[in-house]
Amino acid sequence: MTRHPRTVAVLVYDGARLMDIAAPLEVFGTAAGLGGRYATLVCSVDGGPVVTSTGTRLAADVSVGELLERPAAPGTLVVPGSDDLPLRPPPDGLTGAVAALAPGAARIASVCTGAFALAAAGLLDGRRATTHWRHAAALARRHPRVAVEPDAIFVADGRTYTSAGVTAGIDLALALVEADEGAGLAREVARDLVVFLRRPGGQSQFSVAARTPAPRHDVLRDLVREIAADPAADHCLTALARRGGISGRHLTRLFNEQVGTTPAGYVESVRVEAARALLEAGETVTGAARRSGLGSDESLRRAFLRHLGVTPSTYRARFRTSGVPAPAPLPAPLPAP
């Protein structure tokens, strides 16, 4: 008997950000390769190709009209964002396409500024939503009936799902895979793509590497890379100074001047980040403490309380899944004639 696929349609248009389009397609496509019941397609207003924000020409599988004529509507409609959507009205045909396709879809999702297209079609009135932090205020001003949550990575409200900037489309797509197929498959997809199943914190939360200024000193730059590559290695002040060929006092001064913290403080931050990823992937508290380099459960607990304000056990329970509830079961497939 043929399995019933969940069709995911991505509605593309000229100027759409390529990553907003590719990220959900990659997640759902990977999920399908790992056994998930997904079929993906790219839809444009007239069925013709579009030119994305990078200048890449992207072919469409179907037009909006052709998709509407199909006997089964897509289970998920994804609307990517563009740099223009926060600045001016949506391009010709986009609002109408969203409005036409939305009633038949089981759920409607936007990536980044795609929320402006959903809002223009009236789909976010009276609902909570998010978008890229840079444009959250503009979304709230333009659409006062939308309850904008500027720090959220993604927001689920009824059958509408909105997500933050660009890569948050991966977070949202993983959450939808989890809701459909369970946390096990979602974790496998996340491992395959080497991303978090659920990113900790909100849009104001970034990785240690992302929020660390690039060190100007060659020795310091190399040491920072070594710490990130192997957090559990010996990174005490003496070992770092020896590998860098400078004194511990000089190294401490360089860290304070160029990184904004002590060597020990930086190492602990990287280890906490590593422990978070391990816990999110299902590692035990003891295993996360050992593999991250923090050592004991108690050391891990103290570090988590200092950096995150929660214990490792609480963090593990909170972030092992995406938090999106599972939808109603799929209808049984029709028997073959």
Side-chain angles (χ1 to χ4, degrees):
M1 184 176 290
T2 304
R3 302 180 76 196
H4 184 97
R6 295 179 173 89
T7 302
V8 178
V10 181
L11 179 59
V12 300
Y13 53 93
D14 285 337
R17 297 193 72 162
L18 182 60
M19 186 68 171
D20 289 9
I21 300 167
L25 288 173
E26 190 68 41
V27 170
F28 289 113
T30 301
L34 293 171
R37 294 170 290 174
Y38 292 106
T40 60
L41 56 86
V42 175
C43 171
S44 69
V45 172
D46 60 3
V50 300
V51 179
T52 68
S53 59
T54 64
T56 303
R57 189 176 177 86
L58 186 67
D61 299 306
V62 294
S63 68
V64 170
E66 291 169 335
L67 193 56
L68 289 170
E69 291 173 359
R70 291 190 172 193
T76 302
L77 173 66
V78 179
V79 182
S82 77
D83 292 338
D84 286 341
L85 283 177
L87 304 176
R88 51 188 61 89
D92 291 344
L94 179 59
T95 303
V98 173
L101 291 171
R107 58 195 178 197
I108 306 98
S110 66
V111 181
C112 196
T113 57
F116 283 81
L118 268 57
L123 300 177
L124 300 181
D125 287 353
R127 297 189 181 276
R128 297 178 300 111
T130 193
T131 187
H132 192 290
W133 61 266
R134 191 186 303 277
H135 303 297
L139 180 64
R141 285 194 304 271
R142 189 182 301 178
H143 300 282
R145 296 185 62 189
V146 181
V148 179
E149 298 186 4
D151 194 48
I153 296 296
F154 64 81
V155 171
D157 190 336
R159 66 189 187 100
T160 63
Y161 299 77
T162 53
S163 60
V166 191
T167 58
I170 296 175
D171 299 77
L172 176 57
L174 284 169
L176 296 179
V177 170
E178 182 186 350
D180 293 337
E181 300 279 359
L185 180 62
R187 276 195 290 270
E188 285 301 309
V189 175
R191 290 192 186 102
D192 187 85
L193 300 179
V194 197
V195 296
F196 289 135
L197 174 56
R198 184 181 187 187
R199 196 185 320 195
Q203 294 192 60
S204 59
Q205 301 286 322
F206 297 96
S207 70
V208 174
R211 65 175 183 260
T212 299
R216 300 182 301 277
H217 197 284
D218 289 343
V219 169
L220 190 57
R221 190 160 53 245
D222 290 342
L223 290 175
V224 164
R225 290 186 186 128
E226 288 180 13
I227 294 167
D230 188 3
D234 182 4
H235 299 306
C236 70
L237 179 60
T238 302
L240 289 172
R242 183 177 63 249
R243 295 203 301 269
I246 57 179
S247 70
R249 178 176 296 180
H250 185 34
L251 180 62
T252 299
R253 183 166 62 250
L254 287 173
F255 260 94
N256 280 315
E257 291 175 352
Q258 299 187 25
V259 180
T261 186
T262 64
Y266 182 77
V267 170
E268 183 174 87
S269 295
V270 172
R271 286 174 172 171
V272 167
E273 184 173 274
R276 290 191 327 195
L278 288 164
L279 292 172
E280 289 162 12
E283 182 61 86
T284 64
V285 171
T286 299
R290 176 180 54 81
R291 293 177 60 190
S292 67
L294 286 166
S296 67
D297 291 15
E298 180 58 25
S299 295
L300 180 62
R301 189 184 73 83
R302 289 197 301 266
F304 262 54
L305 288 173
R306 275 194 299 273
H307 289 262
L308 306 176
V310 296
T311 66
S313 297
T314 300
Y315 184 92
R316 184 174 186 268
R318 185 179 300 172
F319 289 112
R320 278 195 68 195
T321 69
S322 66
V324 174
L330 282 172
L334 296 174

